[in-house]
Amino acid sequence: MCNELQDDYQIFHLGWDEDDRIHHCLVHVRLKDGKIWVENDDTEVGIANILVELGVAKAEIVLAYHAPYLRHFSY
């Protein structure tokens, strides 16, 4: 899902596994206050790591899934 008006982007895993419905958010990223806010990341590599490899400065990435008082330790 891409909502360019609100700078909100998500990647979902949707479908069926036999009789079980699959609806899982793999990645949720928002652009807010000039930074990239990673709201959810269930990837193996980590979307923040990929962004850094692509040249995004660590200071521009907020791991929003960590509590605010812990974020300065995370990235």
Side-chain angles (χ1 to χ4, degrees):
M1 176 191 87
C2 293
N3 182 340
E4 293 178 3
L5 293 175
Q6 294 183 342
D7 289 327
D8 193 13
Y9 307 92
Q10 298 179 37
I11 299 173
F12 282 92
H13 183 189
L14 299 171
W16 291 90
D17 182 9
E18 305 266 338
D19 293 331
D20 297 322
R21 176 75 171 144
I22 298 169
H23 183 268
H24 179 75
C25 178
L26 295 171
V27 175
H28 182 189
V29 175
R30 293 186 305 133
L31 304 179
K32 177 182 167 188
D33 301 328
K35 296 191 179 207
I36 300 170
W37 288 64
V38 180
E39 300 289 348
N40 184 63
D41 185 0
D42 283 348
T43 65
E44 285 187 33
V45 175
I47 194 73
N49 293 326
I50 294 169
L51 292 169
V52 170
E53 286 180 16
L54 292 172
V56 176
K58 289 182 179 183
E60 302 301 316
I61 301 169
V62 177
L63 299 182
Y65 52 83
H66 288 171
Y69 68 93
L70 294 174
R71 289 181 190 154
H72 68 280
F73 293 117
S74 61
Y75 220 69

